[in-house]
Amino acid sequence: MDGYPADYVGHNLPFVVLFGLGSVQSRPPLEAEKGYPSLLEKGIYISSELPNVTGHVADRLLSSFHEFDARDASWNNRPGKGKMGTMGFTYRTVGRALTLPPRKASAPSSLEVETSEYGRRASAAPVLHSPLSPLSPESPIYPDGILTSLWFSKHQQLLPSAIVSFFNFTMDLGSSTLQDNKLKTEINALRTSITSSSYKFRLLVVLVAEGEGSEMLTNERLGNIRRGTNMDPRSIFLLPHDQSPMEISAFVGTVLASLQPTCIDYYRELSKHARRKRNRGVIPPPTVAPTTGTSQTLSVHGWNVRYEMKLGYFAEFRQEMDQAGRNYEAAYEMLVDGEVFEGISSWSPRFNEARMLADVLAVRILRCLLWTGQTTSAAQSWANHRYRMLELVDRKGKGTGTYGWQAWEARWSSVMAELIERVDVPIFHVPEAPKANPTNPEAFEVPDIYAIPEKSFANEDRLPPWDLLHHEGYWYRRSAHRTRARRRLASTMPIEDRNEPGQSPASTIASRAHHYDTYLCPEPHLEYGLKDHFDHSALLIETLGKAAVHFSQRQQTRAVERAGFEVAGEFMKQGNWERAWTLLKPLWQNLSWRKTGWWNLVEEVSWAVRACARNLSDGETLVAVEWELHSNLLSPGTVRHDFAKCLDGLSIEEHPHAIADFESLAPCLCASFTFEMKGGHVGDPVPAQLTIFSRALADSAPIVLSEIELTFDGGLRGVIITHNEQTKPIAKSKDSSVELFDIAITDSIISTKPSSPTTPSTPLSTASSAELTFKPDSKKVFSLKLVPRDAGEVHAAQAVLSVREEAFFFDLGIKLREGPARMDWWMPDKGNLMRQKLDLEHPCTIEILPKPPKLQIELPAFKKTYYAKEKVNICVQLRNEEIDVADIRLHISLVGLDAPQLDWSSGPPGETDLEGRPMGQLAPGEVRQEVVSFLAVTEMVEYSLEVRADYTLEADPNTPISKSMKETLQIITPFEVSSEYLPRIHSEAWPSFFNIETIDFSEQAQGLKQKWAVTTRIGCFATDPLIITSFNLKNLDIKYGILNSLEDTAELPSTGLVIQPSETIERTFDLEVQKANLTDHHPSKLTFQLDITWHRPQDPFTATTSTAPPTAPPSTLPTPSNPLSPSSPSPADLPPTPSMTSPSPADLPPTPSMISPSPADLPDTPSLTSPPPPTIETTTTTLPIPPLSIPFSEPRLLLTSSSSASPGPTHQTLPLIHLTYHLENPSMHTLTFSLTMEASEDLAFSGPKAQTAQMTPLSRKQIRYTLLPLRSGVWIRPSLRVVDVGFGKVLRTLPGEGVRGVKDGTGQAEGGKGIVAGAGTGGAKGGVAVWVPVLEEDGED
């Protein structure tokens, strides 16, 4: 907005004059004072004789007022414009003198007043108007102008809305009265001057105390001054002495807060005055009728434009931007669409004045729209004014094909950018510290590029982009484009129009005025003169620099690059190659257009870089840019490209060495790489092909490479291919555009080229040379056989193309990227080339596996399962199937929770946990074994056995090879035991309570004895047959008793007992317990454990099976869950259960599953014929047994049975069951028992039905019954109810020999077979059952 007067387009704020504050300094007159008519002659002079308020307090006070100055604040309604809630002010500091603009203009000196013959006036006196009115002859817009910028400057620089006058306030009581009188005189004089000027602004008085004083006297003096000057109490303020800067600032805020309503009222009164004049609708008469020019005055429409402009102007002072915008829009419509422009000739100066007024109105309308947040309306208003001015200039002006119109277009675009900056549109606001983006923590939020439409446009269709308000960079860039068009049009002017006026004829000068539009721009001879002209480049550089800043803040990289390139072009036009190169170098190196394929723009930049490099003799840059200009993606231009001669014509002292990256230049030579397969092994050749193809210009000279360096990431060494013109390809295509070279790999070197983009000291392998001359559109394929040395993933990293000329060196690094999934693989075919597609997802990557090991690791006799407390021996066998001698190191480890250490057989005694044992050299075909051992833990656990053999071959000691295997082994308990305690009748007689001689005092113990049978059932959980060598039931502890004996009832074979997996065997032990004396009544408690000693069979074909008697069928097998507890009946009377001895054949039931098999029917299991060798290691498994509690002092009832046969009437033998009840009283009391035998429908019995038994202490009694069962092949339940009469306790019948206990009383035998007859329980919980055998007619079971 520099082309317009500042007050013409500036924002309006209440203007306040600070009168008498600060030191008096001479200052130059204001611009408004210089051009204001009659200001010095008729200006209203206000002065005071008292001195100014000076000193440090005055300086602080003045600084505080300037803090509230909002002249440079943003043009918006957001908080922060003025402090303490004020709207903001503009200030002017004066001394003790102020000149106000005159109200009326001076009367013309040449004006003659007609008089009559009597000496009186014959005509009325002339009407005087404002000096700036178009009705006053001295006004610059007289007689038909609308407004001048001086009128805007009048209210912003000369005529205040309030005057704040400062006076010193003494605290000296001796001179206070005199000073107060002087203050009253000066204040009254000021008020009189203001009143006489007819201006209605307010006067405020600020008294600055010069010392401390009584508050009461001070208030009294202030009241006296107010009364003496007739001022409002809110118009006089006192600043106390010695105030802090913060207190002074608060005081200033209080003064301005009191002043703000008065200022608003002042401008509101001015608006009312203008509105009244507008509403009259009458044009006031001029002071003097116009006689020159068009001899016409301003039309009614012009006066309406003037009044509406004033109304909007005063509303803007009040910050009522909505009202101001409406007034400005009304004035604009009347100015542009009304009769104002139509009544002005294009050659008249009023035409350009009206254009400027239209521009000013448009600027103020834009400011009001942006102030209220109407961004889309502002963009449309800007375009609307442009279209109207375009139509107006084409219709009435000098056309839009001149440089003047382009200059106005550039200025109008810059005005919009500056308005957006001054308004500080929130959506375009750039914070000082960028905020983090919540969706991407690594990025930052950037301001928006354009503003979204406001709500008033929500219902409309999609708006075009130019109707949306864009950020400042867009408008600055548009301004630069128009400035460039302005220069282009100016340069096309004829030479005669570019001469100075004194050097051209008058006709030419007159012609210029009719052809060139000079509105807000220089004349043709100043715009583009022959000697000197307007600096268009400086304007372009400034404008493009501003645009680049805003584009950069919004991360619009391409726009920033374009602006930077255009600025560099301007420097190049000026011949400032250094500054141009400063901009072009980073731009060219990081050009985003190259990545996106905008090659026409890349070409422009590259040619500009070439020009800078040649003018600055920058050899490295020139070499790199010449390489880029060789690309066929760019146009050839007028220069024949020869890369080897790119530095011809330059004198460069240092030998240039250019290093470039493939992505930073347009492609001239390209490279691709592919492996033939997805994977390989260490030491095996891996076929690969490197393809270099040319994309140089068709008419360019061939490019000769000195060498090609290929590097890898992983276990492959790099390759260097050197140039040799004598090397011939092994095959060519028919058109010779593709050549295939076979590259042989030789020895290894170290890359020490400082120019290499690869890491120095990279191990490389030299290769045979090849012909490396590349013509345009040629392709060379290099076939390689690479030998990997390390396992892992290998990726082709990059290829470095090197050119070594006498004048320069050049290295180009090409990062080899993954190409398409189907790469070309070239193969020779009878002198020609044939290609096939490789189906590889990642052609540049290969997985190198370790060299496949041929060493075999075996675990002979390895078991998946081992048993607790067993010494585990694991044999590891190594077999060398390599063709060379292998040097082996063996690693064996056991992995798991608390895994034990391993003992190695080859180690010294006591040496354990030697992982990684060297095994020495193993010849081809040789076998070597190593045994490791450990002692298995007692808990169930699972381990992982890991075996790894690391070895190298004698022919290739640098290539390590590894072979490993892993197995899982479990440690379990091989056996599980369940036990049952059965009472037995002791054969010895008890001592008599009445005869002491029956007690043998010579023995250690004289107490009672009891016999018990411990029946154990051992279940095998092993996975292989085991040989048990011994069963040992150990007594761990006994309380209140003595264990006389503990014996196994059966002997094991000398060769041991073979137990199969999931097999169950039964072992019975007899024990005898005795009390220490007869007076010990504590129950005895015994604790046992079962030790089973076993070993694995040495030869599975020499194992023997168990010699235990055959087991009962599942329905009658005695298990812990069977409701019948077996006892040991006599052989003649009991069924065939494992706990009983074998009965005679006549007494057994005829059930097939119960019949003992003959030796011929037993499984054909071989038996051990010799004891195990003494070297066999045995293992002892300890199984806990539940404790046994024996109540010696309690009476008990035991039942034993036997059976016999009796002949029947049908010659069929019927079984007779003989029952014997043993009633014992081991206590020291006489007990009486009531015995009752309950009857049953399933049996008949012989014996006492009911009786009473009197039992003396330490006595036993037998009660016998004979039963005749009515059914056979079943278990019957006789029920004898025995009640202790004294205690009322029912004795439970305990099963003895030949009797089974029933626990639940359900009447059902285990397995669902063998119905229990006679379900009586005898009054006690549970009961006993007796087996009834089945007898046939011939008397055999």
Side-chain angles (χ1 to χ4, degrees), residues 413-414 416-425 427-430 447-449 469-479 543 546-551 553-554 556:
S413 298
S414 296
M416 189 62 167
E418 294 172 10
L419 277 174
I420 296 174
E421 288 180 344
R422 288 303 307 270
V423 174
D424 192 13
V425 179
I427 199 169
F428 299 142
H429 178 70
V430 180
D448 291 336
I449 297 175
L469 183 65
H470 288 68
H471 65 86
E472 302 94 311
Y474 166 80
W475 303 101
Y476 281 126
R477 185 176 63 179
R478 189 182 185 281
S479 176
T543 307
K546 294 178 180 179
V549 170
H550 293 285
F551 284 126
Q553 290 171 346
R554 290 156 181 84
Q556 294 178 272

Coordinates of all heavy atoms in Angstrom, one line a residue, residues 413-414 416-425 427-430 447-449 469-479 543 546-551 553-554 556:
S413 N -2.5 -6.5 -6.0 CA -2.2 -7.8 -5.4 C -1.4 -7.7 -4.1 O -1.7 -8.3 -3.1 CB -1.5 -8.7 -6.4 OG -2.3 -9.0 -7.6
S414 N -0.5 -6.8 -4.2 CA 0.3 -6.5 -3.0 C -0.5 -5.9 -1.9 O -0.3 -6.2 -0.7 CB 1.5 -5.6 -3.3 OG 2.4 -6.2 -4.2
M416 N -3.6 -6.6 -1.2 CA -4.3 -7.7 -0.6 C -3.4 -8.5 0.4 O -3.8 -8.8 1.5 CB -4.9 -8.6 -1.6 CG -5.9 -9.7 -1.1 SD -7.3 -8.9 -0.3 CE -8.4 -10.3 -0.1
A417 N -2.2 -8.7 -0.1 CA -1.2 -9.4 0.8 C -1.0 -8.6 2.1 O -0.9 -9.2 3.2 CB 0.0 -9.7 0.1
E418 N -0.7 -7.3 1.9 CA -0.4 -6.5 3.1 C -1.7 -6.4 4.0 O -1.5 -6.3 5.2 CB 0.0 -5.1 2.6 CG 1.3 -5.1 1.9 CD 1.7 -3.8 1.3 OE1 1.0 -2.8 1.6 OE2 2.6 -3.7 0.5
L419 N -2.8 -6.3 3.4 CA -4.0 -6.3 4.3 C -4.2 -7.6 5.1 O -4.5 -7.6 6.3 CB -5.3 -6.1 3.4 CG -5.6 -4.7 3.0 CD1 -6.8 -4.7 2.0 CD2 -6.0 -3.9 4.2
I420 N -3.9 -8.7 4.5 CA -4.0 -10.0 5.3 C -2.9 -10.0 6.4 O -3.2 -10.5 7.5 CB -3.8 -11.2 4.3 CG1 -4.9 -11.2 3.3 CG2 -3.7 -12.5 5.1 CD1 -4.7 -12.3 2.2
E421 N -1.7 -9.5 6.1 CA -0.7 -9.4 7.1 C -1.1 -8.5 8.3 O -0.9 -8.8 9.4 CB 0.6 -8.9 6.5 CG 1.3 -9.9 5.6 CD 2.6 -9.4 5.0 OE1 2.8 -8.2 5.1 OE2 3.4 -10.2 4.5
R422 N -1.6 -7.3 7.9 CA -2.0 -6.3 9.0 C -3.2 -6.8 9.8 O -3.3 -6.6 11.0 CB -2.3 -4.9 8.4 CG -1.1 -4.2 7.9 CD 0.0 -4.0 8.9 NE -0.5 -3.4 10.1 CZ -0.5 -2.1 10.3 NH1 0.0 -1.3 9.4 NH2 -0.9 -1.6 11.5
V423 N -4.2 -7.4 9.1 CA -5.3 -7.9 9.8 C -5.0 -9.1 10.7 O -5.6 -9.4 11.7 CB -6.5 -8.2 8.9 CG1 -7.7 -8.9 9.6 CG2 -6.9 -6.9 8.2
D424 N -3.9 -9.8 10.2 CA -3.5 -11.1 10.9 C -4.7 -12.1 11.0 O -5.2 -12.4 12.1 CB -3.0 -10.7 12.3 CG -2.3 -11.9 12.9 OD1 -2.0 -12.9 12.2 OD2 -2.0 -11.9 14.2
V425 N -5.1 -12.5 9.8 CA -6.2 -13.4 9.8 C -5.9 -14.7 10.6 O -4.8 -15.3 10.4 CB -6.5 -13.8 8.3 CG1 -7.7 -14.8 8.2 CG2 -6.8 -12.5 7.5
I427 N -6.7 -17.8 10.6 CA -6.4 -19.1 9.9 C -5.0 -19.0 9.2 O -4.4 -20.1 9.0 CB -7.5 -19.4 8.9 CG1 -7.5 -20.9 8.5 CG2 -7.4 -18.5 7.6 CD1 -8.7 -21.3 7.8
F428 N -4.5 -17.8 9.0 CA -3.1 -17.7 8.4 C -2.1 -17.3 9.4 O -0.9 -17.1 9.0 CB -3.2 -16.7 7.2 CG -4.1 -17.0 6.1 CD1 -4.8 -16.0 5.5 CD2 -4.3 -18.3 5.7 CE1 -5.7 -16.3 4.4 CE2 -5.1 -18.6 4.7 CZ -5.9 -17.6 4.0
H429 N -2.4 -17.3 10.6 CA -1.5 -16.8 11.7 C -0.4 -17.9 11.8 O -0.6 -19.1 11.9 CB -2.2 -16.6 13.0 CG -1.3 -16.2 14.1 ND1 -0.7 -15.0 14.2 CD2 -0.8 -16.9 15.2 CE1 0.1 -14.9 15.2 NE2 0.0 -16.1 15.9
V430 N 0.8 -17.4 11.8 CA 2.0 -18.2 12.0 C 2.6 -18.0 13.4 O 3.1 -16.9 13.7 CB 3.1 -17.9 11.0 CG1 4.3 -18.7 11.2 CG2 2.6 -18.0 9.6
P447 N 0.2 -23.5 9.1 CA -1.0 -22.7 8.8 C -1.6 -23.2 7.5 O -1.0 -23.8 6.7 CB -0.4 -21.3 8.7 CG 0.9 -21.3 9.4 CD 1.5 -22.7 9.2
D448 N -2.9 -22.9 7.4 CA -3.7 -23.3 6.3 C -3.2 -22.5 5.0 O -2.7 -21.3 5.1 CB -5.2 -23.1 6.5 CG -5.7 -24.1 7.5 OD1 -5.0 -25.1 7.7 OD2 -6.7 -23.8 8.2
I449 N -3.5 -23.0 3.9 CA -3.2 -22.4 2.6 C -4.3 -21.4 2.2 O -4.0 -20.4 1.7 CB -2.9 -23.4 1.5 CG1 -1.7 -24.3 1.9 CG2 -2.7 -22.8 0.2 CD1 -1.5 -25.5 1.0
L469 N -10.1 -17.1 0.0 CA -9.0 -16.2 0.4 C -7.8 -17.1 0.6 O -7.8 -18.0 1.5 CB -9.4 -15.4 1.6 CG -8.3 -14.5 2.1 CD1 -8.1 -13.3 1.0 CD2 -8.7 -13.9 3.4
H470 N -6.7 -16.9 -0.2 CA -5.5 -17.6 0.0 C -4.5 -16.7 0.8 O -4.7 -15.5 1.1 CB -4.9 -17.9 -1.4 CG -5.6 -19.0 -2.1 ND1 -6.9 -18.8 -2.6 CD2 -5.2 -20.2 -2.4 CE1 -7.3 -19.9 -3.2 NE2 -6.3 -20.8 -3.1
H471 N -3.4 -17.4 1.3 CA -2.5 -16.7 2.2 C -1.7 -15.7 1.4 O -1.8 -15.5 0.2 CB -1.6 -17.7 2.9 CG -0.7 -18.5 1.9 ND1 0.5 -18.0 1.5 CD2 -0.8 -19.7 1.3 CE1 1.1 -18.8 0.7 NE2 0.3 -19.8 0.6
E472 N -0.9 -14.9 2.1 CA -0.2 -13.8 1.6 C 0.8 -14.2 0.4 O 0.9 -13.4 -0.5 CB 0.6 -13.1 2.7 CG -0.2 -12.6 3.9 CD -0.2 -13.6 5.0 OE1 -0.5 -14.8 4.7 OE2 0.0 -13.3 6.1
G473 N 1.4 -15.3 0.5 CA 2.3 -15.7 -0.5 C 1.7 -15.8 -1.9 O 2.3 -15.5 -2.9
Y474 N 0.5 -16.2 -2.0 CA -0.3 -16.3 -3.2 C -0.4 -14.9 -3.9 O -0.1 -14.7 -5.1 CB -1.6 -16.9 -3.0 CG -2.6 -16.7 -4.2 CD1 -2.5 -17.6 -5.3 CD2 -3.6 -15.7 -4.2 CE1 -3.4 -17.4 -6.4 CE2 -4.5 -15.6 -5.2 CZ -4.4 -16.4 -6.3 OH -5.2 -16.2 -7.3
W475 N -0.7 -13.9 -3.1 CA -0.9 -12.5 -3.6 C 0.5 -11.9 -4.0 O 0.6 -11.2 -5.0 CB -1.6 -11.7 -2.6 CG -3.0 -12.3 -2.2 CD1 -3.2 -13.0 -1.1 CD2 -4.2 -12.3 -3.0 NE1 -4.6 -13.4 -1.1 CE2 -5.2 -13.0 -2.2 CE3 -4.5 -11.7 -4.2 CZ2 -6.4 -13.1 -2.7 CZ3 -5.8 -11.9 -4.7 CH2 -6.8 -12.6 -3.9
Y476 N 1.5 -12.2 -3.2 CA 2.8 -11.6 -3.5 C 3.3 -12.2 -4.8 O 3.9 -11.6 -5.7 CB 3.8 -11.9 -2.4 CG 3.7 -10.9 -1.3 CD1 3.5 -11.3 0.0 CD2 3.8 -9.5 -1.5 CE1 3.4 -10.4 1.1 CE2 3.7 -8.6 -0.4 CZ 3.5 -9.1 0.9 OH 3.4 -8.2 1.9
R477 N 3.1 -13.5 -5.0 CA 3.5 -14.2 -6.3 C 2.7 -13.6 -7.5 O 3.3 -13.4 -8.5 CB 3.3 -15.7 -6.2 CG 3.9 -16.4 -7.4 CD 3.7 -17.9 -7.2 NE 2.3 -18.3 -7.1 CZ 1.9 -19.6 -7.0 NH1 2.8 -20.5 -6.9 NH2 0.6 -19.9 -6.9
R478 N 1.4 -13.3 -7.3 CA 0.7 -12.7 -8.4 C 1.2 -11.3 -8.7 O 1.3 -10.9 -9.8 CB -0.8 -12.7 -7.9 CG -1.7 -12.3 -9.1 CD -3.2 -12.2 -8.6 NE -4.0 -11.9 -9.7 CZ -4.2 -10.7 -10.3 NH1 -3.6 -9.7 -9.8 NH2 -5.0 -10.6 -11.3
S479 N 1.5 -10.6 -7.6 CA 2.1 -9.3 -7.8 C 3.4 -9.4 -8.6 O 3.7 -8.5 -9.5 CB 2.3 -8.6 -6.5 OG 2.9 -7.3 -6.7
T543 N 9.4 -8.6 -3.8 CA 8.1 -9.3 -3.8 C 8.2 -10.8 -3.7 O 7.5 -11.5 -2.9 CB 7.3 -8.9 -5.0 OG1 7.3 -7.4 -5.1 CG2 5.9 -9.4 -4.9
K546 N 9.2 -12.0 -0.2 CA 8.1 -12.0 0.7 C 7.2 -13.3 0.4 O 6.8 -13.9 1.4 CB 7.3 -10.8 0.6 CG 8.0 -9.5 1.0 CD 7.1 -8.3 0.9 CE 7.8 -7.0 1.3 NZ 6.9 -5.8 1.1
A547 N 7.0 -13.6 -0.8 CA 6.2 -14.7 -1.2 C 6.9 -16.0 -0.7 O 6.2 -16.9 -0.2 CB 5.9 -14.8 -2.7
A548 N 8.2 -16.1 -0.9 CA 8.9 -17.3 -0.5 C 8.8 -17.6 1.0 O 8.7 -18.7 1.5 CB 10.3 -17.2 -0.9
V549 N 8.8 -16.5 1.8 CA 8.7 -16.6 3.3 C 7.4 -17.3 3.6 O 7.3 -18.2 4.4 CB 8.9 -15.3 3.9 CG1 8.5 -15.4 5.4 CG2 10.3 -14.7 3.7
H550 N 6.3 -16.8 3.0 CA 5.0 -17.4 3.4 C 4.8 -18.8 2.8 O 4.2 -19.6 3.5 CB 3.9 -16.4 2.8 CG 3.8 -15.1 3.5 ND1 3.3 -14.9 4.8 CD2 4.3 -13.9 3.1 CE1 3.4 -13.6 5.1 NE2 4.0 -13.0 4.1
F551 N 5.3 -19.0 1.7 CA 5.3 -20.4 1.1 C 6.1 -21.4 2.0 O 5.7 -22.5 2.3 CB 5.8 -20.5 -0.3 CG 4.8 -19.9 -1.3 CD1 5.2 -18.9 -2.2 CD2 3.5 -20.4 -1.4 CE1 4.3 -18.4 -3.1 CE2 2.6 -19.9 -2.3 CZ 3.0 -18.9 -3.2
Q553 N 6.7 -21.0 5.2 CA 6.0 -21.3 6.5 C 4.9 -22.3 6.4 O 4.5 -23.0 7.4 CB 5.4 -20.0 7.0 CG 6.4 -18.9 7.4 CD 5.8 -17.6 7.7 OE1 4.6 -17.3 7.3 NE2 6.5 -16.7 8.4
R554 N 4.4 -22.6 5.2 CA 3.3 -23.5 5.0 C 3.8 -24.8 4.3 O 3.1 -25.6 3.7 CB 2.2 -22.9 4.2 CG 1.4 -21.9 5.0 CD 0.7 -20.9 4.1 NE 0.0 -19.9 5.0 CZ 0.6 -18.8 5.5 NH1 1.9 -18.6 5.3 NH2 -0.1 -18.0 6.3
Q556 N 5.2 -25.3 1.4 CA 4.9 -25.4 0.0 C 6.3 -25.3 -0.7 O 6.7 -24.3 -1.2 CB 4.0 -24.3 -0.5 CG 2.6 -24.5 0.2 CD 1.6 -23.4 -0.3 OE1 1.6 -22.3 0.4 NE2 0.9 -23.6 -1.3

